[in-house]
Amino acid sequence: MTLQNKISNINVRVLILPLFCILAGCSTLSALNPFSKADTKNAPLPLVAINSTMAVKSIWKTSVGGAGVYAFNPVSVGAYVYAASENGNVFKLNANTGETVWKSNADMSLTAGVGADANSIAVAGSKGMLIVFDENGKKRWNVQASSEILSAPVITQGLVVVRSIDNHIAAYDVTTGERKWLVERPIPN
């Protein structure tokens, strides 16, 4: 072993030994560490028992079909509940009785739904198709979005707003389907 190698080995040992001692000292001298003390000022409150004050009663239940790998949630507007399923079926149900008012089909599988107001119902179809029905279940229009839509459309102020998986947010006129605006958001890394 050369003199330079011996010096190099000694330098490594001289640097590693203090580093090891410092790291070991952090865990053994917890009394000196200001961050190791228990925080009593922000301790969680004890859990309180919740007693039910009202019984929950189901008044009706119905099945509209499966969701497959997607997520579908019904939406309530006034006296009606709107729901959809992956197989393309869209339902308008009486909120009081659960009876089907009408059932329509989007003629394609669905990936998201339902968005609704008193006059329109919107769902997202496969490959980024946005489909809007009128209050009677008649297909009003459909338009191709920039990419697949996985979240329910929102209908507000005369617009149908959707977010596609390429991070574009677009608004379409609820009556004509004409695109009113598009926002391109950066895709996270």
Side-chain angles (χ1 to χ4, degrees):
M1 189 176 239
T2 67
L3 180 60
Q4 187 174 7
N5 286 346
K6 287 181 184 180
I7 292 173
S8 179
N9 283 341
I10 291 171
N11 286 341
V12 169
R13 288 181 191 154
V14 168
L15 292 175
I16 290 179
L17 184 60
L19 182 62
F20 178 74
C21 291
I22 290 170
L23 291 175
C26 288
S27 64
T28 59
L29 299 175
S30 60
L32 298 176
N33 184 349
F35 302 108
S36 68
K37 296 178 184 173
D39 184 7
T40 57
K41 290 187 279 186
N42 294 319
L45 293 174
L47 293 176
V48 177
I50 299 174
N51 297 320
S52 177
T53 58
M54 185 169 71
V56 177
K57 177 181 158 189
S58 294
I59 57 172
W60 58 267
K61 180 168 102 172
T62 190
S63 175
V64 296
V69 298
Y70 303 106
F72 290 88
N73 293 312
V75 65
S76 175
V77 177
Y80 301 102
V81 173
Y82 298 93
S85 60
E86 182 189 28
N87 65 3
N89 289 329
V90 181
F91 295 83
K92 180 178 184 177
L93 307 168
N94 182 304
N96 294 320
T97 64
E99 291 179 23
T100 300
V101 176
W102 54 253
K103 173 184 172 186
S104 291
N105 193 283
D107 299 323
M108 68 181 66
S109 62
L110 300 179
T111 59
V114 174
D117 67 7
N119 303 309
S120 305
I121 301 89
V123 293
S126 60
K127 299 181 182 172
M129 189 62 66
L130 176 62
I131 305 115
V132 173
F133 296 88
D134 68 14
E135 67 274 10
N136 298 311
K138 182 181 175 198
K139 193 183 294 186
R140 186 179 291 158
W141 54 262
N142 59 288
V143 66
Q144 180 67 49
S146 60
S147 65
E148 189 173 26
I149 302 165
L150 297 179
S151 56
V154 174
I155 300 178
T156 183
Q157 299 178 4
L159 298 173
V160 181
V161 181
V162 294
R163 178 178 179 214
S164 51
I165 62 171
D166 60 0
N167 249 9
H168 289 175
I169 300 172
Y172 300 89
D173 183 279
V174 73
T175 306
T176 65
E178 175 189 359
R179 188 171 76 192
K180 294 295 187 178
W181 52 261
L182 173 74
V183 176
E184 296 182 40
R185 298 186 55 209
I187 297 176
N189 293 333

